[in-house]
């Protein structure tokens, strides 16, 4: 992008704001060097990176960029042979640590931030180098004693000499305090001295290293300390030499890793730069734009990025789809130039990976060039008029413009004769349109108000002016050309009505028609906006009503389920009572069996009473078990297979007695059963319906029962039930498998069979039937 265009649109102010959001010097540098990108793919990646960082910030997470500095100058010095000082080494260690912490932090984030994670994967932890530096240098950039055994020994000697020197000086203070200006020990020229009064110089004795500003105090080194101070200085020189050796070794280790360190700094700076873009987006309350390369700009409630949010007026703007040129007319200070700069600046921001201050769903295009001719750039040095200055710039623009250009003209054709200027403006707009550029132009010329009606892909727009308050509203009205409002403003300011009426007579019929048309368009626009707002409010109310209804339906559904649950709990209690009644019926049946011979029809009737004593659950549960409610209406035919619901047994239709009664063969028995107790079965299908009560469903009866492994009482209970069902199923013979074992089960089975009224005989199984582990009973 042209540097002049970036300056005219004040893009540098955006980069300055961006740099203030960066946490590191590297990130600040990248922010200040930011320029728009012209590749659709690259711009989309930049936007995706910014959006991922915004996602992290929305989670109230703060990336730990602390301690990271631009160590690249130090790395360069290490490579060319320089020895890094302790502070430089410490900065490198802190940057390594900061990079590792940043990498760990981003890796732990569970949100979908694949681009950020891919970026920080390039960071090398370099933990060993960091530990080596921290072993030698503390957090205040001091070389530690343990940096080397030799340095530790030297510093031990230094502390010994210092202690001896201080001991001697303290003895001087005690014995010759009257000769001293102050009872303190101080250092001059790296040697320990005492402050001696000037008049006692000769009596004190020693070397003078300095004096006070008044000359009344001399800083003297006693003769007895000269040798000790000399020895201390010698050891101090050894200390400095050892420190330099340690720093040289550290510098060599750093130089060996300089490529990796360079890459770490680059990645960390890039990550900081991305998060700076995200923080700026949050401050601007910006949104991620959709990016295209078709020249389409579509923004809802877009705001100028450099105007405070509390002061700026948001506007909708669209270009590049139905129309490619917008001509904005209206009074001065109405916001036309602000609109131009807003569109241009938002485009540059989007192409730089920055989110824009507009509502979600905004769309911006990637342009090869953004051209702007804005403001009075008259050059006194070149003695150019305003018109000449603008035209020089426009000539340069028209030489470069193409179908991948966005062109912004402010007061096109201004500064010369109105008729010639208007004609020139229309010609320039025609040329730009022919080249396929997207153009937004502002003008005062009334001739251009009709321009949009005579050209395809061109639309008029204006900035609204409130005649009542005599103030612009800064609202952009697309599709409505601007009015001068001169008569209305003059009337509000108190100009005589006679003068205004005389002025209206001087206006031509065409001008009056245009003004009337504009007035009608403005009124229609306001009405449309009002209707849109009413419709939007109605939509919001409808959505709220829908949400309330959904919430109430959910509450109703929960209450209904609770009632169902409560009902089923009551049913369960009823079933428990029913089971107790059933047990009573069974006991009575057993008693009858033992006292007298029970006839077949009495047994079946008792069985029916047992089944029907079980209460049904709620209709809801019962309905779930009925597959076809209309099956009651279906007429059954002779030989149809049916399920007798009351016995849960399979049978065959023998004949129809009446419209609602049939003779049914169930095993050996022929029964009269009503239609509602019969369910048709598909042919060649063996079926036993699952009962609608919680009683355990019976499976189809087999000709044998295996009671091995059961406890005695349980086995006897199963045997009783089995013999009852075998009788109903029409079996002539059944096999009871009880095993040999201790013989307890066999004795129980034989005792039960002996007392059963419907067992005619029984025998032990043959060898091929299971031997003494099996008893075979004949049913009469």
């Amino acid at each position: 992008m042209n540097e002049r265009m970036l300056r005219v649109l004040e893009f540098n102010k955006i980069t300055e704001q961006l740099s203030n959001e960066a946490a590191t010097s590297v990130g600040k540098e990248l922010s200040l060097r930011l320029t728009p990108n012209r590749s659709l793919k690259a711009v989309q990646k930049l936007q995706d990176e910014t959006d991922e960082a915004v996602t992290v910030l929305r989670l109230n997470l703060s990336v730990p960029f602390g301690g990271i500095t631009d160590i690249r100058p130090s790395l360069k010095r290490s490579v060319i042979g320089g020895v890094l000082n302790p502070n430089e080494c410490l900065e490198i260690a802190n940057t390594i640590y900061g990079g590792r912490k940043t990498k760990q932090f981003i890796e732990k984030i569970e949100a979908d931030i694949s681009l950020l994670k891919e970026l920080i994967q390039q960071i090398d932890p370099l933990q060993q180098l960091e530990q080596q530096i921290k072993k030698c240098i503390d957090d205040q950039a001091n070389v530690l004693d343990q940096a080397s055994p030799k340095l530790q020994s030297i510093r031990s000697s230094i502390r010994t000499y210092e202690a001896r020197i201080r001991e001697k000086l303290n003895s001087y203070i005690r014995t010759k305090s009257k000769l001293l200006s102050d009872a303190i020990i101080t250092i001059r020229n790296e040697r320990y001295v005492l402050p001696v009064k000037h008049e006692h110089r000769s009596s004190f004795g020693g070397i003078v290293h300095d004096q006070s500003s008044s000359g009344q105090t001399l800083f003297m080194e006693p003769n007895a300390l000269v040798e000790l101070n000399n020895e201390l200085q010698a050891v101090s020189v050894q200390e400095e030499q050892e420190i330099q050796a340690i720093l040289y070794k550290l510098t060599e280790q750093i130089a060996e890793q300089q490529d990796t360190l360079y890459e770490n700094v680059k990645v960390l700076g890039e990550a900081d730069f991305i998060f700076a873009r995200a923080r700026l987006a949050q401050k601007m309350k910006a949104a991620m734009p959709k990016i295209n390369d078709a020249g389409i700009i579509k923004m809802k409630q877009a705001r100028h990025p450099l105007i405070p949010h509390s002061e700026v007026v948001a506007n909708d703007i669209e270009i590049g789809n139905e129309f490619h040129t917008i001509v904005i007319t209206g009074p001065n200070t109405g916001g036309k130039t602000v609109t131009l700069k807003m569109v241009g600046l938002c485009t540059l921001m989007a192409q730089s990976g920055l989110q824009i201050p507009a509502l979600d769903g905004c769309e911006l295009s990637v342009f090869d060039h953004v051209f702007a001719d804005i403001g009075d750039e008259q050059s006194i040095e070149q003695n150019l008029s305003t018109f000449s200055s603008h035209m020089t710039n426009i000539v340069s623009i028209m030489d470069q413009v193409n179908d991948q250009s966005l062109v912004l003209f402010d007061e096109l054709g201004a500064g010369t004769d109105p008729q010639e200027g208007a004609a020139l403006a229309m010609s320039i707009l025609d040329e730009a349109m022919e080249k396929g550029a997207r153009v937004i132009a502002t003008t005062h010329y009334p001739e251009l108000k009709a321009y949009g009606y005579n050209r395809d892909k061109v639309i008029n727009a204006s900035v609204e002016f409130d005649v009542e308050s005599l103030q612009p509203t800064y609202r952009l009205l697309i599709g409505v050309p601007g009015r001068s409002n001169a008569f209305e403003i003059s009337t509000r300011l108190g100009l005589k009505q006679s003068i205004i009426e005389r002025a209206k007579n001087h206006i031509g019929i065409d001008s009056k028609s245009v003004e009337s048309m504009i007035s009608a368009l403005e009124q229609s626009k306001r009405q449309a906006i009002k209707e849109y707002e009413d419709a939007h409010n109605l939509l919001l109310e409808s959505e709220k009503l829908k949400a309330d209804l959904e919430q109430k339906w959910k509450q109703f559904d929960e209450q209904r389920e609770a009632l169902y649950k409560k009902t089923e709990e009551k049913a369960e209690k009823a079933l428990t009572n029913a089971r107790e009644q059933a047990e009573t019926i069974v006991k009575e049946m057993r008693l009858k069996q033992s006292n007298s011979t029970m006839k077949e029809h009495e047994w079946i009737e008792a069985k029916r009473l047992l089944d029907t004593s079980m209460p049904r659950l709620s209709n809801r549960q019962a309905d779930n078990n009925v597959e076809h409610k209309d099956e009651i209406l279906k007429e059954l035919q002779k030989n149809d297979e049916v399920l007798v619901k009351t016995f849960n047994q399979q049978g065959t239709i023998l004949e129809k007695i009446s419209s609602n009664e049939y003779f049914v063969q169930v095993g050996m028995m022929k029964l009269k059963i009503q239609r509602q107790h019969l369910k048709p079965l598909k042919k060649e299908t063996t079926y036993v319906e699952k009962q609608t009560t919680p009683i355990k469903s019976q499976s189809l009866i087999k000709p044998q029962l295996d009671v091995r492994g059961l406890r005695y009482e349980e086995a006897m209970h199963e045997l009783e039930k089995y013999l009852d069902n075998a009788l109903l199923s029409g079996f002539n013979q059944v096999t009871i498998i009880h095993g040999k074992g201790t013989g307890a089960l066999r004795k129980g089975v034989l005792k039960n069979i002996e007392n059963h009224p419907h067992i005619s005989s029984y025998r032990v199984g043959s060898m091929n039937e299971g031997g003494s582990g099996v008893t075979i009973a004949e049913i009469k």
Side-chain angles (χ1 to χ4, degrees):
M1 293 289 177
N2 186 294
E3 284 292 333
R4 179 180 172 279
M5 302 301 172
L6 297 178
R7 185 179 67 255
V8 167
L9 293 172
E10 300 179 290
F11 185 70
N12 61 304
K13 292 184 179 180
I14 296 295
T15 58
E16 287 173 4
Q17 289 186 13
L18 182 62
S19 69
N20 292 333
E21 300 300 327
T24 68
S25 57
V26 187
K28 292 181 184 295
E29 181 184 340
L30 290 173
S31 299
L32 292 172
R33 290 189 358 230
L34 177 64
T35 54
N37 201 300
R38 295 189 292 186
S39 164
L40 176 65
K41 185 177 179 180
V43 170
Q44 188 60 64
K45 183 182 179 184
L46 290 171
Q47 287 291 345
D48 289 340
E49 289 174 344
T50 305
D51 192 55
E52 287 187 359
V54 169
T55 299
V56 174
L57 296 183
R58 283 200 194 106
L59 298 172
N60 291 324
L61 300 175
S62 179
V63 184
F65 287 116
I68 299 170
T69 55
D70 187 0
I71 58 174
R72 289 174 294 184
S74 299
L75 295 176
K76 186 175 181 180
R77 285 187 56 237
S78 72
V79 173
I80 62 176
V83 177
L84 303 183
N85 60 46
N87 193 62
E88 289 175 308
C89 293
L90 182 62
E91 286 181 347
I92 291 171
N94 289 339
T95 300
I96 294 172
Y97 175 79
R100 189 171 67 256
K101 287 299 178 185
T102 299
K103 181 176 182 179
Q104 292 172 351
F105 177 86
I106 293 178
E107 284 178 338
K108 290 179 181 178
I109 297 174
E110 295 182 357
D112 182 12
I113 51 170
S114 55
L115 291 175
L116 287 174
K117 289 184 177 181
E118 181 181 350
L119 176 66
I120 56 96
Q121 281 301 318
Q122 303 173 48
I123 297 176
D124 191 326
L126 293 176
Q127 208 161 352
Q128 188 174 355
L129 178 59
E130 178 201 347
Q131 291 173 352
Q132 189 62 35
I133 296 173
K134 289 292 183 74
K135 178 184 174 183
C136 298
I137 300 171
D138 65 14
D139 293 338
Q140 286 71 46
N142 299 313
V143 178
L144 297 168
D145 292 1
Q146 60 264 33
S148 74
K150 185 176 181 181
L151 180 62
Q152 194 166 16
S153 175
I154 292 171
R155 286 186 172 172
S156 177
S157 299
I158 289 173
R159 285 189 286 270
T160 300
Y161 283 122
E162 287 177 341
R164 291 172 60 188
I165 290 171
R166 286 181 178 278
E167 184 181 351
K168 283 188 175 292
L169 289 175
N170 284 328
S171 67
Y172 273 100
I173 291 172
R174 288 192 300 271
T175 58
K176 298 184 178 183
S177 59
K178 293 181 179 180
L179 305 179
L180 304 176
S181 298
D182 201 353
I184 60 171
I185 299 171
T186 185
I187 295 175
R188 290 293 186 275
N189 298 326
E190 298 183 356
R191 299 178 77 88
Y192 285 91
V193 295
L194 291 171
V196 180
K197 294 178 181 178
H198 187 274
E199 60 269 24
H200 297 303
R201 172 181 179 178
S202 58
S203 58
F204 188 83
I207 302 171
V208 177
H209 288 281
D210 196 6
Q211 67 179 11
S212 65
S213 57
S214 64
Q216 297 300 312
T217 300
L218 300 177
F219 295 96
M220 298 183 65
E221 178 184 3
N223 290 326
L225 290 180
V226 171
E227 187 60 31
L228 280 175
N229 268 328
N230 287 341
E231 291 177 358
L232 177 60
Q233 287 296 310
V235 177
S236 297
V237 170
Q238 293 177 16
E239 178 193 29
E240 184 60 32
Q241 290 173 345
E242 181 59 20
I243 288 174
Q244 286 300 308
I246 292 168
L247 294 176
Y248 181 79
K249 185 176 180 181
L250 285 177
T251 301
E252 281 187 329
Q253 294 175 341
I254 291 169
E256 290 174 359
Q257 299 290 344
Q258 65 100 11
D259 289 338
T260 304
L261 288 167
Y262 261 111
E263 187 63 25
N264 281 6
V265 172
K266 178 183 175 183
V267 171
L268 289 169
E270 185 68 27
D272 182 30
F273 176 44
I274 292 171
F275 278 94
R277 303 201 303 257
R279 282 188 285 271
L280 183 63
Q282 281 196 328
K283 281 194 173 181
M284 288 186 175
K285 298 182 179 178
M288 176 184 176
K290 296 178 182 177
I291 304 297
N292 66 78
D293 58 357
I296 297 173
I297 296 175
K298 186 176 182 180
M299 294 186 286
K300 290 287 185 182
Q301 297 297 289
R303 308 179 302 276
H304 193 292
L306 298 177
I307 300 178
H309 191 272
S310 58
E311 300 174 12
V312 69
V313 175
N315 279 302
D316 300 346
I317 191 161
E318 182 175 352
I319 189 173
N321 197 356
E322 295 181 7
F323 42 85
H324 293 179
T325 299
I326 301 176
V327 178
I328 306 175
T329 53
N332 284 331
T333 70
K336 300 191 303 297
T337 303
V338 170
T339 300
L340 281 186
K341 286 188 173 182
M342 182 266 289
V343 175
L345 198 50
C346 285
T347 299
L348 296 178
M349 288 172 63
Q351 290 186 220
S352 304
L354 299 174
Q355 296 190 353
I356 62 169
L359 295 183
D360 288 336
C362 53
E363 188 169 0
L364 285 160
S365 180
V366 174
F367 293 100
D368 287 345
H369 298 283
V370 176
F371 297 110
D373 179 59
I374 298 175
D376 185 5
E377 297 190 16
Q378 180 175 345
S379 173
I380 298 176
E381 292 81 2
Q382 295 180 6
N383 197 25
L384 296 176
S385 66
T386 300
F387 176 77
S388 299
S389 176
H390 279 292
M391 195 50 60
T392 300
N393 190 28
I394 289 172
V395 169
S396 174
I397 291 173
M398 297 308 293
D399 287 341
Q400 303 175 65
V401 73
N402 57 27
D403 62 347
Q404 293 297 315
S405 300
L406 173 65
V407 186
L408 308 171
F409 290 125
D410 190 27
E411 299 298 341
L412 183 60
T416 186
D417 177 78
Q419 288 186 339
E420 292 181 356
L424 193 58
M426 287 188 284
S427 179
I428 291 171
L429 290 176
D430 286 341
E431 178 70 13
M433 285 180 59
E434 288 176 4
K435 291 187 175 182
R438 305 299 186 266
V439 183
I440 304 177
T442 68
T443 182
H444 278 301
Y445 294 136
E447 290 83 354
L448 289 179
K449 294 178 182 179
Y451 181 80
Y453 296 100
N454 301 325
R455 304 289 196 284
D456 292 332
K457 299 290 185 179
V458 180
I459 193 168
N460 284 311
S462 61
V463 286
E464 190 178 49
F465 188 86
D466 188 351
V467 178
E468 296 297 322
S469 64
L470 303 181
Q471 295 291 329
T473 66
Y474 304 105
R475 291 183 61 193
L476 183 68
L477 305 176
I478 299 291
V480 181
R483 301 173 59 197
S484 64
N485 297 306
F487 296 148
E488 289 83 353
I489 294 172
S490 300
T491 300
R492 296 283 299 169
L493 293 175
L495 190 64
K496 289 182 180 180
Q497 192 64 31
S498 59
I499 297 175
I500 292 173
E501 292 299 328
R502 190 180 299 120
K504 288 182 178 179
N505 292 331
H506 292 309
I507 296 180
I509 296 176
D510 292 343
S511 296
K512 290 180 180 179
S513 299
V514 170
E515 290 297 319
S516 298
M517 176 189 69
I518 293 172
S519 179
L521 284 172
E522 286 181 343
Q523 187 175 356
S524 299
K525 185 77 172 181
R526 290 192 189 96
Q527 182 65 25
I529 291 173
K530 183 178 181 303
E531 290 176 355
Y532 170 80
E533 290 175 349
D534 291 343
H536 183 66
N537 291 334
L538 183 60
L539 175 63
L540 293 178
E541 290 176 4
S542 300
E543 289 177 346
K544 184 177 182 300
L545 180 60
K546 178 176 177 289
D548 291 342
L549 287 173
E550 287 178 347
Q551 179 64 25
K552 289 179 179 178
W553 176 259
K554 183 180 178 182
Q555 291 175 354
F556 167 75
D557 201 38
E558 290 173 351
Q559 291 173 357
R560 183 180 61 179
E561 289 300 321
L563 287 173
Y564 279 141
K565 185 177 180 181
K566 187 176 180 181
T567 302
E568 289 175 356
E569 287 174 353
K570 289 182 179 179
E572 183 64 32
K573 291 180 181 178
L575 289 173
T576 301
N577 294 332
R579 289 191 188 98
E580 293 174 356
Q581 293 177 13
E583 290 297 329
T584 302
I585 293 171
V586 170
K587 288 179 181 178
E588 291 177 355
M589 290 167 60
R590 296 299 172 213
L591 184 61
K592 287 184 179 182
Q593 287 178 5
S594 61
N595 294 334
S596 63
T597 302
M598 191 173 183
K599 296 182 179 179
E600 294 291 342
H601 70 277
E602 291 178 334
W603 174 262
I604 292 169
E605 180 62 20
K607 179 68 174 177
R608 186 183 68 78
L609 289 173
L610 177 61
D611 290 336
T612 56
S613 67
M614 296 300 176
R616 305 292 178 183
L617 290 180
S618 64
N619 290 336
R620 175 176 177 243
Q621 183 172 343
D623 289 346
N624 290 336
N625 292 323
V626 177
E627 296 178 1
H628 304 288
K629 294 182 180 180
D630 60 346
E631 70 180 18
I632 297 175
L633 303 177
K634 181 179 177 181
E635 184 176 349
L636 299 175
Q637 304 296 327
K638 185 177 180 180
N639 297 326
D640 282 353
E641 297 292 328
V642 293
L643 176 73
V644 182
K645 297 179 182 179
T646 52
F647 303 144
N648 198 27
Q649 297 293 329
Q650 190 171 327
T652 306
I653 299 294
L654 296 177
E655 61 178 297
K656 181 176 181 182
I657 302 173
S658 65
S659 61
N660 196 37
E661 248 183 343
Y662 293 83
F663 275 128
V664 183
Q665 181 74 41
V666 181
M668 298 175 61
M669 297 172 287
K670 179 180 177 182
L671 306 173
K672 183 191 295 183
I673 302 175
Q674 292 185 345
R675 174 63 182 85
Q676 61 263 33
H677 299 307
L678 301 175
K679 179 175 182 178
L681 298 178
K682 293 181 181 179
K683 291 185 178 181
E684 299 180 359
T685 301
T686 302
Y687 178 86
V688 177
E689 185 186 51
K690 187 176 180 180
Q691 298 182 26
T692 57
T693 67
I695 293 179
K696 184 179 178 181
S697 300
Q698 297 175 352
S699 59
L700 192 62
I701 297 300
K702 298 179 181 180
Q704 65 181 27
L705 172 68
D706 190 347
V707 295
R708 290 175 297 179
L710 300 179
R711 290 178 300 168
Y712 181 83
E713 294 80 5
E714 187 178 1
M716 295 306 102
H717 180 67
E718 288 296 324
L719 177 59
E720 289 177 3
K721 289 198 301 181
Y722 174 73
L723 293 176
D724 292 341
N725 290 325
L727 175 65
L728 291 174
S729 299
F731 289 153
N732 296 322
Q733 177 181 292
V734 293
T735 300
I736 313 299
I737 304 173
H738 44 68
K740 299 177 182 179
T742 61
L745 279 182
R746 179 174 178 277
K747 292 177 182 179
V749 168
L750 293 177
K751 181 179 179 181
N752 194 300
I753 289 175
E754 287 174 353
N755 296 327
H756 200 284
H758 293 282
I759 302 297
S760 60
S761 62
Y762 61 90
R763 63 180 176 83
V764 176
S766 62
M767 291 303 294
N768 59 349
E769 290 174 326
S772 60
V774 171
T775 298
I776 298 173
E778 300 291 335
I779 299 176
K780 59 182 178 180

